[in-house]
Amino acid sequence: MKRLGLVLLLAAGIGCASAPVPASPASPVVEGTWVHAPPPEALPASASTPARVTVRRLATGLRVVIVEHRRRPVVATRLIFSRGAAADSDEDGGLTYTAVAMVGDFYEKKATGEEIVEEKSFRHLISDAGGAYSFEVGLDYSSVGIRGFA
């Protein structure tokens, strides 16, 4: 019985697949074959200038890469550390994430060591100026980014 049902289902599927489909006015079918239309014309080339890249190494050994795009008034900075979550030992699991997350949440202190109560965190100062602060911790790197309008 199962075999008969399977044969009937298979026959119905083959019959539906091979049945001709009536062509609609928008359909590209002509007498059972497809009409091959040429591809659309290419869009006109836009004038673009390549990004200007400057690489410098500071006296401390820090490598600074500057990529300039002058099309939009946006400034974006990203500080990338070559240490990620995979570098944490079993005892220090989450240390890299905590350290990178705290970069945006530090507060200034007075010379006496007392916290300035009205002072906002670095992340909030950037937000108040119209910018955005972000951080990311991957397995092999960590990064802190700031972006906003120039």
Side-chain angles (χ1 to χ4, degrees):
M1 185 70 179
K2 286 183 182 180
R3 186 176 287 176
L4 179 62
L6 182 61
V7 170
L8 289 175
L9 183 63
L10 192 58
I14 292 172
C16 291
S18 63
V21 177
S24 65
S27 176
V29 175
V30 175
E31 298 179 18
T33 61
W34 286 96
V35 175
H36 298 284
E41 292 185 29
L43 295 173
S46 62
S48 65
T49 57
R52 188 173 138 199
V53 178
T54 307
V55 180
R56 304 260 167 100
R57 187 163 299 273
L58 301 180
T60 60
L62 181 68
R63 186 175 60 146
V64 178
V65 180
I66 301 169
V67 181
E68 293 183 50
H69 295 281
R70 301 257 179 193
R71 295 190 304 181
R72 294 187 184 98
V74 176
V75 175
T77 61
R78 181 158 302 274
L79 181 60
I80 300 173
F81 304 97
S82 60
R83 177 189 167 102
D88 291 347
S89 66
D90 290 340
E91 298 85 30
D92 296 333
L95 183 64
T96 301
Y97 181 88
T98 303
V100 173
M102 287 178 59
V103 168
D105 288 330
F106 74 90
Y107 293 85
E108 259 188 82
K109 294 188 177 190
K110 295 181 181 178
T112 60
E114 180 185 344
E115 280 192 16
I116 304 172
V117 177
E118 63 273 357
E119 186 68 31
K120 293 184 176 181
S121 70
F122 183 61
R123 180 172 42 93
H124 284 102
L125 290 173
I126 293 169
S127 179
D128 288 348
Y133 169 83
S134 64
F135 70 93
E136 181 180 358
V137 178
L139 287 177
D140 57 348
Y141 77 97
S142 304
S143 68
V144 175
I146 301 169
R147 66 183 182 282
F149 291 106

